[in-house]
Coordinates of all heavy atoms in Angstrom, one line a residue:
M13 N -5.8 18.0 -38.2 CA -6.4 17.1 -37.1 C -7.6 17.8 -36.5 O -7.6 19.0 -36.3 CB -5.3 16.9 -36.0 CG -5.9 16.0 -34.9 SD -4.7 15.7 -33.6 CE -3.5 14.7 -34.3
N14 N -8.6 17.1 -36.4 CA -9.9 17.5 -35.8 C -9.6 17.8 -34.3 O -9.0 17.0 -33.6 CB -10.9 16.4 -36.0 CG -12.3 16.9 -35.5 OD1 -12.4 17.5 -34.5 ND2 -13.3 16.4 -36.2
A15 N -10.2 18.9 -33.8 CA -10.1 19.2 -32.4 C -10.7 18.2 -31.4 O -10.3 18.1 -30.3 CB -10.7 20.6 -32.1
F16 N -11.6 17.4 -32.0 CA -12.2 16.4 -31.1 C -11.6 15.0 -31.2 O -12.0 14.1 -30.6 CB -13.7 16.3 -31.5 CG -14.4 17.5 -31.2 CD1 -14.8 18.4 -32.2 CD2 -14.7 17.9 -29.9 CE1 -15.5 19.6 -31.9 CE2 -15.4 19.0 -29.6 CZ -15.8 19.9 -30.6
Q17 N -10.5 14.9 -32.1 CA -9.8 13.6 -32.2 C -8.8 13.5 -31.0 O -8.1 14.4 -30.7 CB -9.0 13.6 -33.5 CG -9.7 12.8 -34.6 CD -8.7 12.8 -35.8 OE1 -8.0 13.7 -36.1 NE2 -8.8 11.7 -36.5
P18 N -8.9 12.3 -30.4 CA -7.9 12.1 -29.3 C -6.5 12.0 -29.8 O -6.2 11.5 -30.9 CB -8.4 10.8 -28.7 CG -9.2 10.1 -29.7 CD -9.7 11.2 -30.6
Q19 N -5.6 12.6 -29.0 CA -4.2 12.5 -29.3 C -3.5 11.5 -28.5 O -3.9 11.2 -27.3 CB -3.5 13.9 -29.1 CG -4.0 15.0 -29.9 CD -3.3 16.3 -29.6 OE1 -2.4 16.3 -28.8 NE2 -3.7 17.3 -30.3
E20 N -2.6 10.8 -29.0 CA -1.8 9.8 -28.3 C -0.8 10.5 -27.4 O -0.1 11.4 -27.8 CB -1.1 8.9 -29.2 CG -0.4 7.7 -28.5 CD 0.2 6.7 -29.4 OE1 -0.4 6.4 -30.5 OE2 1.3 6.3 -29.1
I21 N -0.9 10.2 -26.1 CA 0.0 10.8 -25.1 C 0.8 9.7 -24.4 O 0.3 8.7 -24.0 CB -0.8 11.5 -24.0 CG1 -1.6 12.7 -24.7 CG2 0.1 12.1 -22.9 CD1 -2.6 13.4 -23.7
S22 N 2.1 9.9 -24.3 CA 2.9 8.9 -23.7 C 3.3 9.5 -22.3 O 3.8 10.6 -22.2 CB 4.2 8.7 -24.5 OG 5.1 7.9 -23.8
I23 N 3.0 8.7 -21.3 CA 3.3 9.1 -19.9 C 4.1 8.0 -19.3 O 3.8 6.8 -19.4 CB 2.0 9.2 -19.1 CG1 1.2 10.4 -19.7 CG2 2.3 9.5 -17.6 CD1 -0.2 10.5 -19.0
K24 N 5.2 8.4 -18.7 CA 6.1 7.4 -17.9 C 5.8 7.6 -16.4 O 5.9 8.8 -16.0 CB 7.5 7.6 -18.3 CG 7.9 7.3 -19.7 CD 9.3 7.4 -20.0 CE 9.6 7.1 -21.4 NZ 11.0 7.2 -21.7
I25 N 5.6 6.5 -15.7 CA 5.3 6.6 -14.3 C 6.3 5.7 -13.6 O 6.5 4.6 -13.9 CB 3.9 6.1 -14.0 CG1 2.9 7.0 -14.6 CG2 3.7 6.1 -12.5 CD1 1.4 6.6 -14.5
D26 N 7.0 6.3 -12.6 CA 7.9 5.6 -11.8 C 7.0 4.9 -10.7 O 6.4 5.6 -9.8 CB 8.9 6.5 -11.1 CG 9.9 5.7 -10.2 OD1 9.6 4.7 -9.7 OD2 11.0 6.2 -10.1
V27 N 6.8 3.6 -10.8 CA 5.9 2.9 -9.9 C 6.3 3.0 -8.5 O 5.4 3.2 -7.6 CB 5.9 1.4 -10.3 CG1 5.0 0.6 -9.3 CG2 5.3 1.2 -11.7
R28 N 7.6 3.1 -8.2 CA 8.0 3.3 -6.8 C 7.5 4.6 -6.2 O 7.0 4.6 -5.1 CB 9.5 3.2 -6.7 CG 10.0 1.8 -7.0 CD 11.5 1.7 -7.0 NE 11.9 2.6 -8.2 CZ 13.2 2.7 -8.5 NH1 14.1 2.2 -7.9 NH2 13.5 3.5 -9.6
H29 N 7.6 5.7 -7.0 CA 7.1 7.0 -6.5 C 5.6 6.9 -6.4 O 5.0 7.5 -5.5 CB 7.5 8.1 -7.5 CG 9.0 8.4 -7.3 ND1 9.8 8.6 -8.4 CD2 9.7 8.6 -6.2 CE1 11.0 8.9 -8.0 NE2 11.0 8.9 -6.7
A30 N 4.9 6.3 -7.3 CA 3.5 6.2 -7.2 C 3.0 5.4 -6.0 O 2.1 5.8 -5.3 CB 2.9 5.5 -8.5
L31 N 3.7 4.3 -5.6 CA 3.4 3.6 -4.4 C 3.7 4.4 -3.2 O 2.9 4.3 -2.2 CB 4.2 2.2 -4.4 CG 3.7 1.2 -5.5 CD1 4.7 0.0 -5.4 CD2 2.3 0.8 -5.2
L32 N 4.7 5.2 -3.2 CA 5.0 6.1 -2.0 C 3.9 7.1 -1.9 O 3.5 7.4 -0.7 CB 6.4 6.8 -2.2 CG 7.6 5.9 -2.0 CD1 8.8 6.6 -2.5 CD2 7.7 5.4 -0.6
A33 N 3.4 7.6 -3.0 CA 2.2 8.5 -2.9 C 1.0 7.8 -2.4 O 0.3 8.4 -1.5 CB 2.0 9.1 -4.3
V34 N 0.7 6.6 -2.8 CA -0.4 5.9 -2.3 C -0.3 5.6 -0.8 O -1.2 5.8 0.0 CB -0.6 4.5 -3.0 CG1 -1.6 3.6 -2.3 CG2 -1.0 4.8 -4.5
A35 N 0.9 5.3 -0.3 CA 1.2 5.0 1.1 C 1.0 6.3 1.9 O 0.4 6.3 3.0 CB 2.6 4.5 1.3
T36 N 1.4 7.4 1.4 CA 1.1 8.7 2.0 C -0.3 9.0 2.2 O -0.8 9.4 3.2 CB 1.8 9.9 1.3 OG1 3.2 9.6 1.2 CG2 1.6 11.2 2.0
A37 N -1.1 8.7 1.1 CA -2.5 8.9 1.2 C -3.2 7.9 2.2 O -4.1 8.3 2.9 CB -3.2 8.7 -0.2
L38 N -2.7 6.7 2.2 CA -3.2 5.7 3.2 C -3.0 6.2 4.6 O -3.8 5.9 5.5 CB -2.6 4.4 3.0 CG -3.0 3.6 1.7 CD1 -2.2 2.4 1.6 CD2 -4.5 3.3 1.8
D39 N -1.9 7.0 4.9 CA -1.7 7.5 6.2 C -2.8 8.4 6.7 O -3.1 8.5 7.9 CB -0.4 8.3 6.3 CG 0.8 7.4 6.5 OD1 0.6 6.3 7.0 OD2 1.9 7.9 6.3
F40 N -3.6 9.0 5.8 CA -4.7 9.8 6.2 C -5.9 9.1 6.6 O -6.8 9.6 7.2 CB -5.0 10.8 5.1 CG -3.9 11.8 4.9 CD1 -3.1 11.8 3.8 CD2 -3.6 12.8 5.9 CE1 -2.1 12.7 3.6 CE2 -2.5 13.7 5.7 CZ -1.8 13.7 4.6
V41 N -6.0 7.7 6.3 CA -7.1 6.9 6.7 C -7.0 6.7 8.2 O -8.0 6.9 8.9 CB -7.2 5.6 5.9 CG1 -8.2 4.7 6.5 CG2 -7.4 5.8 4.5
G42 N -5.9 6.3 8.7 CA -5.7 6.1 10.1 C -4.9 7.2 10.7 O -3.7 7.1 11.0
V43 N -5.6 8.3 10.9 CA -4.9 9.5 11.3 C -4.2 9.4 12.7 O -3.3 10.2 13.0 CB -5.8 10.8 11.3 CG1 -6.2 11.1 9.9 CG2 -7.0 10.5 12.2
D44 N -4.6 8.4 13.5 CA -3.9 8.2 14.8 C -2.8 7.2 14.7 O -2.2 6.9 15.7 CB -4.9 7.8 15.9 CG -5.6 6.5 15.5 OD1 -5.6 6.1 14.3 OD2 -6.1 5.8 16.4
D45 N -2.5 6.7 13.6 CA -1.5 5.7 13.4 C -0.6 6.1 12.2 O -0.5 5.3 11.2 CB -2.1 4.3 13.2 CG -1.2 3.2 13.4 OD1 0.0 3.4 13.9 OD2 -1.5 2.1 12.9
L46 N 0.1 7.2 12.3 CA 0.9 7.7 11.2 C 2.0 6.8 10.8 O 2.6 6.2 11.7 CB 1.4 9.1 11.5 CG 0.3 10.2 11.5 CD1 0.9 11.5 11.9 CD2 -0.4 10.3 10.2
H47 N 2.3 6.7 9.6 CA 3.4 5.9 9.0 C 3.4 4.4 9.3 O 4.4 3.8 9.3 CB 4.7 6.5 9.5 CG 4.9 8.0 9.2 ND1 4.9 8.5 7.9 CD2 5.0 9.0 10.0 CE1 5.0 9.8 8.0 NE2 5.0 10.2 9.2
H48 N 2.2 3.9 9.6 CA 2.0 2.5 9.8 C 2.5 1.7 8.6 O 3.3 0.7 8.8 CB 0.5 2.2 10.1 CG 0.2 0.7 10.1 ND1 0.6 -0.1 11.1 CD2 -0.5 0.0 9.2 CE1 0.2 -1.3 10.8 NE2 -0.5 -1.3 9.7
G49 N 2.1 2.1 7.4 CA 2.6 1.4 6.2 C 4.1 1.4 6.1 O 4.7 0.4 5.7
H50 N 4.7 2.5 6.4 CA 6.2 2.6 6.3 C 6.9 1.7 7.3 O 7.9 1.1 7.0 CB 6.6 4.1 6.5 CG 6.2 5.0 5.4 ND1 4.9 5.5 5.3 CD2 6.8 5.5 4.3 CE1 4.8 6.3 4.3 NE2 6.0 6.2 3.6
R51 N 6.3 1.6 8.5 CA 6.9 0.7 9.5 C 6.7 -0.8 9.1 O 7.7 -1.6 9.2 CB 6.2 0.9 10.9 CG 6.6 2.3 11.5 CD 6.2 2.4 12.9 NE 4.8 2.1 13.2 CZ 3.8 3.0 13.1 NH1 4.1 4.2 12.8 NH2 2.5 2.6 13.4
V52 N 5.6 -1.1 8.6 CA 5.4 -2.5 8.1 C 6.3 -2.8 6.9 O 6.9 -3.9 6.8 CB 3.9 -2.7 7.7 CG1 3.7 -4.1 7.0 CG2 3.0 -2.6 8.9
A53 N 6.5 -1.8 6.0 CA 7.4 -2.0 4.9 C 8.8 -2.2 5.4 O 9.5 -3.1 4.8 CB 7.3 -0.7 4.0
Y54 N 9.2 -1.5 6.4 CA 10.6 -1.7 6.9 C 10.7 -3.1 7.5 O 11.7 -3.8 7.2 CB 10.9 -0.6 8.0 CG 12.2 -0.8 8.6 CD1 13.4 -0.5 8.0 CD2 12.3 -1.3 9.9 CE1 14.6 -0.7 8.6 CE2 13.5 -1.4 10.5 CZ 14.7 -1.2 9.9 OH 15.9 -1.3 10.5
M55 N 9.7 -3.5 8.3 CA 9.8 -4.9 8.8 C 9.8 -5.9 7.8 O 10.5 -6.9 7.9 CB 8.6 -5.1 9.8 CG 8.8 -4.2 11.1 SD 7.5 -4.6 12.3 CE 6.1 -3.8 11.6
A56 N 9.0 -5.7 6.7 CA 8.9 -6.7 5.6 C 10.3 -6.8 4.9 O 10.8 -7.9 4.6 CB 7.9 -6.3 4.6
Y57 N 10.9 -5.6 4.7 CA 12.2 -5.6 4.1 C 13.3 -6.3 4.9 O 14.1 -7.1 4.4 CB 12.6 -4.1 3.8 CG 14.0 -4.0 3.2 CD1 14.1 -4.1 1.8 CD2 15.2 -3.9 3.9 CE1 15.4 -4.0 1.2 CE2 16.4 -3.8 3.3 CZ 16.5 -3.8 1.9 OH 17.7 -3.8 1.3
E58 N 13.3 -6.0 6.2 CA 14.3 -6.6 7.1 C 14.1 -8.1 7.2 O 15.0 -8.9 7.3 CB 14.2 -6.0 8.5 CG 14.8 -4.6 8.5 CD 16.3 -4.6 8.0 OE1 17.1 -5.5 8.3 OE2 16.6 -3.6 7.3
C59 N 12.8 -8.6 7.2 CA 12.5 -10.0 7.2 C 13.1 -10.7 5.9 O 13.7 -11.7 6.0 CB 11.0 -10.3 7.3 SG 10.3 -10.0 8.9
A60 N 12.8 -10.0 4.8 CA 13.4 -10.5 3.5 C 14.9 -10.5 3.5 O 15.5 -11.4 3.0 CB 12.8 -9.6 2.4
N61 N 15.5 -9.5 4.2 CA 16.9 -9.4 4.3 C 17.5 -10.6 5.1 O 18.4 -11.3 4.7 CB 17.3 -8.1 4.9 CG 18.8 -7.7 4.7 OD1 19.4 -8.0 3.7 ND2 19.4 -7.1 5.7
V62 N 16.9 -10.9 6.2 CA 17.3 -12.0 7.1 C 17.1 -13.3 6.3 O 17.9 -14.3 6.5 CB 16.5 -12.0 8.4 CG1 16.7 -13.3 9.1 CG2 16.8 -10.9 9.3
L63 N 16.1 -13.4 5.5 CA 15.8 -14.7 4.7 C 16.8 -14.8 3.5 O 16.8 -15.8 2.8 CB 14.4 -14.7 4.2 CG 13.4 -14.9 5.3 CD1 12.0 -14.6 4.8 CD2 13.5 -16.3 5.9
G64 N 17.6 -13.8 3.3 CA 18.6 -13.8 2.2 C 18.0 -13.6 0.8 O 18.5 -14.1 -0.2
W65 N 16.8 -13.0 0.7 CA 16.2 -12.8 -0.6 C 17.0 -11.8 -1.4 O 17.8 -11.1 -0.9 CB 14.8 -12.2 -0.4 CG 13.8 -13.1 0.2 CD1 14.0 -14.4 0.6 CD2 12.4 -12.9 0.4 NE1 12.8 -15.0 1.1 CE2 11.8 -14.1 0.9 CE3 11.6 -11.8 0.1 CZ2 10.5 -14.1 1.3 CZ3 10.2 -11.9 0.5 CH2 9.7 -13.1 1.0
S66 N 16.8 -11.9 -2.7 CA 17.5 -11.0 -3.7 C 17.0 -9.6 -3.5 O 15.9 -9.4 -2.9 CB 17.1 -11.5 -5.1 OG 15.8 -11.2 -5.4
D67 N 17.8 -8.7 -3.9 CA 17.4 -7.3 -3.8 C 16.1 -7.0 -4.4 O 15.3 -6.2 -3.9 CB 18.5 -6.4 -4.4 CG 19.8 -6.3 -3.6 OD1 19.7 -6.7 -2.4 OD2 20.8 -5.8 -4.2
E68 N 15.8 -7.6 -5.5 CA 14.5 -7.4 -6.2 C 13.3 -7.9 -5.3 O 12.3 -7.2 -5.2 CB 14.5 -8.1 -7.6 CG 13.2 -7.9 -8.4 CD 13.3 -8.6 -9.7 OE1 14.4 -8.8 -10.3 OE2 12.2 -9.0 -10.2
K69 N 13.5 -9.1 -4.7 CA 12.4 -9.6 -3.9 C 12.3 -8.7 -2.6 O 11.2 -8.5 -2.1 CB 12.7 -11.0 -3.5 CG 12.3 -12.0 -4.7 CD 12.6 -13.4 -4.3 CE 11.5 -13.9 -3.4 NZ 11.6 -15.4 -3.1
K70 N 13.4 -8.3 -2.1 CA 13.4 -7.4 -0.9 C 12.6 -6.1 -1.2 O 11.8 -5.6 -0.4 CB 14.8 -7.1 -0.4 CG 15.5 -8.2 0.3 CD 16.8 -7.8 1.0 CE 17.9 -8.0 0.1 NZ 19.2 -7.8 0.7
Q71 N 12.9 -5.5 -2.4 CA 12.2 -4.3 -2.8 C 10.7 -4.6 -2.9 O 9.9 -3.8 -2.5 CB 12.8 -3.8 -4.1 CG 12.3 -2.4 -4.4 CD 13.0 -1.9 -5.6 OE1 12.5 -2.1 -6.7 NE2 14.0 -1.1 -5.4
F72 N 10.3 -5.7 -3.5 CA 8.9 -6.1 -3.6 C 8.3 -6.2 -2.2 O 7.2 -5.7 -2.0 CB 8.8 -7.4 -4.4 CG 7.3 -7.9 -4.6 CD1 6.6 -7.4 -5.6 CD2 6.8 -8.7 -3.7 CE1 5.3 -7.7 -5.7 CE2 5.4 -9.1 -3.8 CZ 4.7 -8.6 -4.8
A73 N 9.0 -6.9 -1.3 CA 8.4 -7.0 0.1 C 8.2 -5.7 0.7 O 7.2 -5.4 1.4 CB 9.4 -7.9 0.9
Y74 N 9.2 -4.8 0.5 CA 9.1 -3.4 1.0 C 7.8 -2.7 0.5 O 7.0 -2.2 1.3 CB 10.3 -2.6 0.7 CG 10.2 -1.2 1.1 CD1 10.5 -0.8 2.5 CD2 9.8 -0.2 0.3 CE1 10.4 0.5 2.9 CE2 9.6 1.1 0.7 CZ 10.0 1.5 2.0 OH 9.8 2.7 2.5
F75 N 7.6 -2.7 -0.8 CA 6.5 -2.0 -1.4 C 5.2 -2.7 -1.1 O 4.1 -2.0 -0.9 CB 6.7 -1.7 -2.9 CG 7.7 -0.6 -3.1 CD1 8.9 -0.9 -3.6 CD2 7.3 0.7 -2.9 CE1 9.8 0.1 -3.8 CE2 8.2 1.7 -3.1 CZ 9.5 1.5 -3.5
A76 N 5.2 -4.0 -0.9 CA 4.0 -4.7 -0.6 C 3.6 -4.3 0.9 O 2.4 -4.1 1.2 CB 4.2 -6.2 -0.7
G77 N 4.6 -4.3 1.8 CA 4.3 -3.8 3.1 C 3.8 -2.4 3.2 O 3.0 -2.0 4.0
L78 N 4.4 -1.6 2.3 CA 4.0 -0.1 2.3 C 2.5 0.1 2.0 O 1.9 1.0 2.6 CB 4.9 0.6 1.2 CG 4.9 2.1 1.2 CD1 5.6 2.6 2.4 CD2 5.7 2.5 0.0
I79 N 2.0 -0.7 1.1 CA 0.6 -0.5 0.7 C -0.3 -1.6 1.2 O -1.5 -1.8 0.7 CB 0.4 -0.3 -0.8 CG1 0.9 -1.6 -1.6 CG2 1.2 0.9 -1.3 CD1 0.5 -1.6 -3.0
H80 N 0.1 -2.4 2.2 CA -0.7 -3.6 2.6 C -2.1 -3.2 3.1 O -3.0 -4.1 3.0 CB 0.1 -4.4 3.7 CG 0.0 -3.7 5.0 ND1 0.8 -2.6 5.4 CD2 -0.8 -4.0 6.1 CE1 0.5 -2.3 6.6 NE2 -0.5 -3.1 7.1
D81 N -2.3 -2.0 3.5 CA -3.7 -1.7 4.0 C -4.5 -0.9 3.0 O -5.4 -0.2 3.4 CB -3.5 -0.8 5.3 CG -3.5 -1.7 6.6 OD1 -4.0 -2.9 6.5 OD2 -3.1 -1.2 7.6
C82 N -4.1 -1.0 1.8 CA -4.9 -0.2 0.8 C -6.3 -0.6 0.7 O -7.1 0.1 0.1 CB -4.2 -0.2 -0.6 SG -4.2 -1.8 -1.4
G83 N -6.7 -1.8 1.3 CA -8.1 -2.2 1.2 C -8.9 -1.6 2.4 O -10.1 -1.8 2.4
V84 N -8.3 -0.9 3.3 CA -9.0 -0.2 4.3 C -9.6 1.1 3.7 O -8.9 1.9 3.2 CB -8.1 0.2 5.6 CG1 -8.9 0.9 6.6 CG2 -7.6 -1.1 6.2
S85 N -10.9 1.2 3.7 CA -11.6 2.2 2.9 C -12.0 3.4 3.7 O -12.4 4.4 3.1 CB -12.8 1.6 2.2 OG -13.7 1.1 3.2
S86 N -12.0 3.4 5.0 CA -12.4 4.5 5.8 C -11.7 4.6 7.2 O -11.2 3.5 7.7 CB -13.9 4.5 6.0 OG -14.3 3.4 6.8
S87 N -11.7 5.7 7.8 CA -11.2 5.8 9.1 C -12.0 5.0 10.1 O -11.5 4.4 11.1 CB -11.2 7.3 9.6 OG -10.3 8.0 8.8
E88 N -13.3 4.9 9.9 CA -14.2 4.1 10.7 C -13.8 2.6 10.7 O -13.7 2.0 11.7 CB -15.7 4.3 10.3 CG -16.3 5.6 10.6 CD -15.9 6.7 9.6 OE1 -15.6 6.3 8.4 OE2 -15.9 7.9 9.9
E89 N -13.5 2.1 9.5 CA -13.1 0.7 9.3 C -11.8 0.5 10.0 O -11.5 -0.4 10.7 CB -13.0 0.3 7.9 CG -12.6 -1.1 7.7 CD -12.5 -1.6 6.3 OE1 -12.6 -0.8 5.4 OE2 -12.4 -2.8 6.1
H90 N -10.9 1.5 9.9 CA -9.5 1.4 10.5 C -9.7 1.3 12.0 O -9.1 0.5 12.7 CB -8.7 2.6 10.1 CG -7.4 2.7 10.7 ND1 -7.1 3.5 11.8 CD2 -6.2 2.0 10.4 CE1 -5.8 3.3 12.1 NE2 -5.3 2.4 11.3
L91 N -10.5 2.2 12.6 CA -10.7 2.2 14.0 C -11.4 0.9 14.5 O -11.0 0.4 15.5 CB -11.6 3.4 14.4 CG -10.9 4.8 14.3 CD1 -11.9 5.9 14.6 CD2 -9.7 4.9 15.2
R92 N -12.3 0.4 13.7 CA -12.9 -0.9 14.1 C -11.9 -2.0 14.1 O -11.9 -2.8 15.0 CB -14.1 -1.2 13.1 CG -14.9 -2.4 13.5 CD -16.1 -2.6 12.5 NE -15.7 -2.6 11.1 CZ -15.1 -3.7 10.6 NH1 -14.9 -4.8 11.2 NH2 -14.8 -3.6 9.3
L93 N -11.1 -2.0 13.1 CA -10.1 -3.1 13.0 C -9.1 -3.0 14.2 O -8.7 -4.0 14.8 CB -9.3 -3.0 11.7 CG -10.0 -3.4 10.4 CD1 -9.2 -3.0 9.2 CD2 -10.3 -4.9 10.4
L94 N -8.7 -1.8 14.6 CA -7.8 -1.6 15.7 C -8.5 -2.0 17.0 O -7.9 -2.6 17.9 CB -7.3 -0.2 15.8 CG -6.3 0.3 14.7 CD1 -6.0 1.7 14.9 CD2 -5.1 -0.6 14.8
K95 N -9.8 -1.6 17.2 CA -10.5 -1.8 18.4 C -10.8 -3.3 18.6 O -10.6 -3.8 19.7 CB -11.9 -1.1 18.4 CG -12.7 -1.2 19.6 CD -14.0 -0.5 19.5 CE -14.8 -0.7 20.8 NZ -16.1 0.0 20.6
L96 N -11.2 -4.0 17.6 CA -11.5 -5.4 17.7 C -10.3 -6.3 17.6 O -10.3 -7.5 18.1 CB -12.5 -5.8 16.7 CG -13.9 -5.1 16.8 CD1 -14.8 -5.5 15.6 CD2 -14.5 -5.3 18.1
M97 N -9.3 -5.9 17.0 CA -8.0 -6.6 16.7 C -8.2 -7.9 16.0 O -7.3 -8.4 15.3 CB -7.2 -6.8 18.0 CG -6.7 -5.6 18.6 SD -5.7 -4.6 17.5 CE -4.2 -5.5 17.5
Q98 N -9.4 -8.5 16.1 CA -9.6 -9.7 15.3 C -11.1 -9.8 15.0 O -11.8 -10.7 15.4 CB -9.2 -10.9 16.2 CG -9.1 -12.2 15.3 CD -8.0 -12.2 14.3 OE1 -7.8 -11.2 13.5 NE2 -7.1 -13.2 14.3
P99 N -11.6 -8.8 14.2 CA -13.0 -8.9 13.9 C -13.3 -10.1 12.9 O -12.4 -10.7 12.3 CB -13.2 -7.6 13.1 CG -11.9 -7.2 12.5 CD -10.9 -7.8 13.6
E100 N -14.6 -10.4 12.9 CA -15.0 -11.5 12.1 C -14.6 -11.4 10.6 O -14.3 -12.3 9.9 CB -16.5 -11.7 12.1 CG -17.0 -12.2 13.5 CD -18.5 -12.3 13.5 OE1 -19.2 -12.4 12.5 OE2 -19.1 -12.3 14.7
D101 N -14.6 -10.2 10.1 CA -14.3 -9.9 8.7 C -12.9 -9.3 8.5 O -12.7 -8.4 7.7 CB -15.4 -9.1 8.0 CG -15.5 -7.7 8.7 OD1 -15.0 -7.5 9.8 OD2 -16.1 -6.8 8.0
A102 N -12.0 -9.7 9.3 CA -10.6 -9.1 9.3 C -10.0 -9.2 8.0 O -9.1 -8.4 7.7 CB -9.7 -9.8 10.4
T103 N -10.3 -10.2 7.2 CA -9.7 -10.3 5.9 C -10.3 -9.5 4.8 O -9.8 -9.5 3.7 CB -9.6 -11.8 5.5 OG1 -11.0 -12.3 5.4 CG2 -8.8 -12.6 6.4
S104 N -11.5 -8.8 5.1 CA -12.2 -8.1 4.0 C -11.3 -7.0 3.4 O -11.3 -6.9 2.2 CB -13.5 -7.6 4.5 OG -13.3 -6.6 5.5
H105 N -10.6 -6.3 4.2 CA -9.8 -5.2 3.7 C -8.6 -5.8 3.0 O -8.1 -5.2 2.0 CB -9.4 -4.1 4.7 CG -8.3 -4.5 5.6 ND1 -8.4 -5.4 6.7 CD2 -7.0 -4.1 5.6 CE1 -7.3 -5.5 7.3 NE2 -6.4 -4.7 6.7
S106 N -8.1 -6.9 3.4 CA -7.0 -7.6 2.7 C -7.4 -8.0 1.3 O -6.6 -7.8 0.4 CB -6.5 -8.8 3.5 OG -6.1 -8.4 4.8
R107 N -8.6 -8.5 1.2 CA -9.1 -9.0 -0.1 C -9.2 -7.8 -1.0 O -8.9 -7.8 -2.2 CB -10.4 -9.7 0.0 CG -10.3 -11.2 0.3 CD -11.6 -11.9 0.2 NE -11.7 -12.7 1.4 CZ -12.6 -12.5 2.4 NH1 -13.4 -11.5 2.3 NH2 -12.6 -13.3 3.4
R108 N -9.8 -6.7 -0.5 CA -10.0 -5.5 -1.3 C -8.6 -4.9 -1.8 O -8.5 -4.5 -2.9 CB -10.8 -4.4 -0.6 CG -12.3 -4.7 -0.5 CD -13.1 -3.5 -0.1 NE -12.6 -2.9 1.1 CZ -13.0 -3.1 2.3 NH1 -13.9 -4.1 2.5 NH2 -12.6 -2.5 3.3
G109 N -7.7 -4.9 -0.9 CA -6.3 -4.5 -1.2 C -5.7 -5.3 -2.3 O -5.1 -4.8 -3.2
Y110 N -5.8 -6.6 -2.1 CA -5.3 -7.6 -3.1 C -5.9 -7.3 -4.5 O -5.2 -7.3 -5.5 CB -5.5 -9.0 -2.7 CG -5.1 -10.0 -3.7 CD1 -3.8 -10.3 -3.9 CD2 -6.1 -10.6 -4.5 CE1 -3.4 -11.3 -4.9 CE2 -5.7 -11.5 -5.5 CZ -4.4 -11.8 -5.7 OH -4.0 -12.7 -6.7
E111 N -7.2 -7.1 -4.5 CA -7.9 -6.9 -5.8 C -7.5 -5.6 -6.4 O -7.4 -5.5 -7.6 CB -9.4 -7.0 -5.6 CG -9.9 -8.4 -5.3 CD -11.3 -8.4 -4.8 OE1 -12.0 -7.3 -4.7 OE2 -11.8 -9.5 -4.4
A112 N -7.2 -4.6 -5.5 CA -6.8 -3.3 -6.1 C -5.4 -3.4 -6.6 O -5.0 -2.9 -7.7 CB -6.7 -2.2 -4.9

C-alpha cells in the first residue's frame, strides 16, 4: 500500500454522548447562564412525559432541548437575546440551529 493512499477507518460515535459534548460547549457561549440547555432539556422531557409520549420521543425531546441554542454563535448574540428578550431577529439563531 502506498503511504499516500487513504485507509478506510471505521468510527462508531454514540450520538447521545456527542450531543452532551455539544451542550457542554454551548454552555460556554452564555457564561452567565450555565446549564441552560440542560434545564430546557429537562423541561422538554417532562412535558413529553406528561403528554404520554413514548420513551423514544421523550429522549428525542430531551436531546432537542439540550442543543436548542446551537444556533447562538457568540456571547454577544446571547447577551443581546437576553437583554431584548424579543429582538426583531429572535428566530435567526433558531434557524441556524435547525440547519446545523
Side-chain angles (χ1 to χ4, degrees):
M13 180 183 293
N14 183 325
F16 296 105
Q17 260 183 326
Q19 294 180 4
E20 187 175 320
I21 298 174
S22 177
I23 298 174
K24 291 183 181 181
I25 297 174
D26 183 329
V27 174
R28 293 173 295 181
H29 286 134
L31 292 174
L32 288 168
V34 168
T36 300
L38 289 172
D39 272 344
F40 292 112
V41 172
V43 295
D44 61 338
D45 193 15
L46 291 177
H47 306 298
H48 169 70
H50 292 80
R51 291 192 306 272
V52 172
Y54 176 74
M55 290 185 284
Y57 180 87
E58 287 301 321
C59 287
N61 197 34
V62 168
L63 292 169
W65 289 5
S66 69
D67 287 344
E68 184 177 331
K69 284 181 77 173
K70 285 189 267 188
Q71 191 175 86
F72 180 84
Y74 176 84
F75 284 106
L78 194 65
I79 62 166
H80 77 281
D81 270 341
C82 67
V84 177
S85 59
S86 68
S87 292
E88 291 80 23
E89 181 178 11
H90 178 259
L91 291 173
R92 185 177 54 76
L93 288 168
L94 289 176
K95 182 179 178 184
L96 300 176
M97 292 305 285
Q98 195 67 309
E100 291 178 22
D101 62 343
T103 59
S104 64
H105 81 281
S106 301
R107 276 191 228 108
R108 285 195 309 269
Y110 173 78
E111 290 167 1

